[in-house]
C-alpha cells in the first residue's frame, strides 16, 4: 500500500489559494522544505472548520488498538490507508464531514515487486499529469498522540494495476473537493473510485 508520497513545496501555496484557504486561519505553518512524507511523520491536510477551509499539519497514521496475540494484551497499529469504509471505525468518521480532509500530494510511490512478488526498496512513482498538486480523500481523528489522518484506497486503475495490483489511493477530481469535505456520507463514499488512468503518468 502507499506508504510514501511527496509534495511540491513551491506549488502548495498556489494550491491552497486556489481551493480557498483562509491564510489567517492556517495554523501551524507548513514547513516549505518538507518534500517527502512517511508514516507517523507530519503531513499537510485541509479540512472545513466553522464553514472555512483550513490547512494544517497532522501525523500520517491513525492509531488503532487491536487485541494482541497473547490473551489480555493489545497492540497499536498506525493505519495510513483506509481500505474498508464499511468498518464502524472508519464509517463513523465518514459520517462526520468535520472528520474528512484533503491530503495534498504531488506524486505517490508504490514499491517495485521483486521476483518473489514481494515489495522491494525501489519504487514506482505516480502523479496526475496536469497538476503540480492533487489531493487524496482523507479521514482524520484526534488521538492520544495528537490529530492523525489516513487516506482512502480503492481498486487500482489500468495504469497502476500492472505495477501494484493490490490497490491505489483515492485521488479526488477538483470538482469533487466540496462534496468530499462537506457532502453527506453517501455522496462522499461514492467518490472512492479509481482515478482515470489517462490523466496519470508513471515515472
Amino acid at each position: 500500500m502507499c506508504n510514501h508520497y511527496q509534495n511540491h513545496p513551491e506549488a502548495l501555496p498556489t494550491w491552497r489559494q486556489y481551493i480557498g484557504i483562509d491564510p489567517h486561519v492556517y495554523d501551524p505553518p507548513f514547513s516549505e522544505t518538507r518534500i517527502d512524507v512517511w508514516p507517523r511523520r507530519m503531513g499537510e491536510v485541509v479540512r472545513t472548520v466553522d464553514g472555512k477551509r483550513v490547512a494544517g499539519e497532522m501525523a500520517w497514521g491513525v492509531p488503532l488498538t487491536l487485541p494482541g496475540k497473547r490473551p489480555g494484551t493489545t497492540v497499536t497499529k498506525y493505519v495510513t490507508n483506509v481500505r474498508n469504509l464499511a468498518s464502524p471505525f472508519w464509517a463513523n468518521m465518514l459520517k462526520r464531514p468535520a472528520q474528512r480532509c484533503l491530503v495534498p500530494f504531488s506524486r505517490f510511490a508504490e514499491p517495485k515487486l521483486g521476483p518473489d512478488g514481494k515489495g522491494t526498496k525501489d519504487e514506482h512513482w505516480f502523479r496526475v499529469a496536469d497538476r503540480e498538486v492533487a489531493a487524496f480523500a482523507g479521514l482524520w481523528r484526534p488521538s492520544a498522540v495528537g490529530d492523525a489522518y489516513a487516506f482512502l484506497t480503492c481498486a487500482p486503475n489500468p495504469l497502476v494495476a500492472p505495477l501494484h495490483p493490490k490497490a491505489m489511493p483515492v485521488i479526488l477530481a477538483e470538482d469533487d473537493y466540496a462534496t468530499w469535505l462537506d457532502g453527506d456520507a453517501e455522496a462522499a463514499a461514492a467518490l472512492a473510485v479509481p482515478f482515470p488512468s489517462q490523466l496519470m503518468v508513471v515515472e
Side-chain angles (χ1 to χ4, degrees), residues 114-175:
D116 58 358
K118 296 182 179 180
T120 68
K121 292 183 179 180
D122 295 323
E123 296 171 313
H124 297 290
W125 285 97
F126 302 90
R127 62 180 176 85
V128 177
D130 63 347
R131 300 186 216 167
E132 291 185 300
V133 180
F136 302 131
L139 295 171
W140 74 276
R141 65 175 296 175
S143 77
V145 298
D147 294 341
Y149 71 94
F151 51 73
L152 277 60
T153 61
C154 60
N157 65 23
L159 177 73
V160 177
L163 303 175
H164 190 76
K166 195 170 184 178
M168 68 176 288
V170 172
I171 301 171
L172 296 170
E174 291 171 346
D175 289 345

Side-chain angles (χ1 to χ4, degrees), residues 64 84-96 139 141:
L64 178 60
N84 181 16
L85 278 179
S87 162
F89 184 77
W90 301 112
N92 287 333
M93 282 183 255
L94 181 70
K95 291 176 183 176
R96 301 181 178 95
L139 295 171
R141 65 175 296 175

Side-chain angles (χ1 to χ4, degrees), residues 64-77:
L64 178 60
T65 301
L66 301 169
K69 292 183 179 180
R70 291 180 296 175
T73 65
T74 60
V75 60
T76 300
K77 293 187 175 181

